[in-house]
Amino acid sequence: MLGWVVDLVLAVVVTGLEAAALALFWFRESVKVWAAQGRSVPDGTLRLVVVLGVGSALPGLAAVGFFEVGLKAAAVSQVLVASVLGSVLALGLATEAGRWFSRSRRK
């Protein structure tokens, strides 16, 4: 019983910390865009790709570690976080590739 409680609490705390860190990053990037008065911020896409790439890789590794220790709920929550961040990364990269392709085609 105590093992399941620890497992669920750890799943909620770790997922909450990841969500808070991502929200803080997004807020910081939004402030940069606001300070630039809506113009594009240099290397904004690169920072987003790095954060989402690392953000999807680390929970995947954490999921493996949690599963090896026997914390199945924490492992499942980390797999879900990694898959969501990986999906957002894939959609963002596809959007940027489409923009790049359309710009190069217009020229």
Side-chain angles (χ1 to χ4, degrees), residues 66-83:
F66 287 147
F67 188 76
E68 289 294 322
V69 173
L71 301 172
K72 292 183 181 26
V76 168
S77 72
Q78 292 303 294
V79 167
L80 291 175
V81 167
S83 64

Side-chain angles (χ1 to χ4, degrees), residues 52 83-97:
L52 289 176
S83 64
V84 167
L85 291 178
S87 298
V88 170
L89 176 62
L91 288 173
L93 288 176
T95 302
E96 286 299 316

Side-chain angles (χ1 to χ4, degrees), residues 4-70:
W4 275 102
V5 171
V6 170
D7 190 12
L8 291 175
V9 168
L10 189 62
V12 169
V13 168
V14 171
T15 305
L17 287 174
E18 289 168 349
L22 190 59
L24 185 63
F25 171 76
W26 241 286
F27 177 74
R28 184 173 157 246
E29 291 299 310
S30 298
V31 168
K32 285 181 183 178
V33 171
W34 174 75
Q37 297 174 346
R39 294 185 306 270
S40 78
V41 178
D43 295 331
T45 304
L46 178 65
R47 281 191 300 275
L48 184 64
V49 167
V50 168
V51 164
L52 289 176
V54 170
S56 62
L58 290 180
L61 292 173
V64 171
F66 287 147
F67 188 76
E68 289 294 322
V69 173

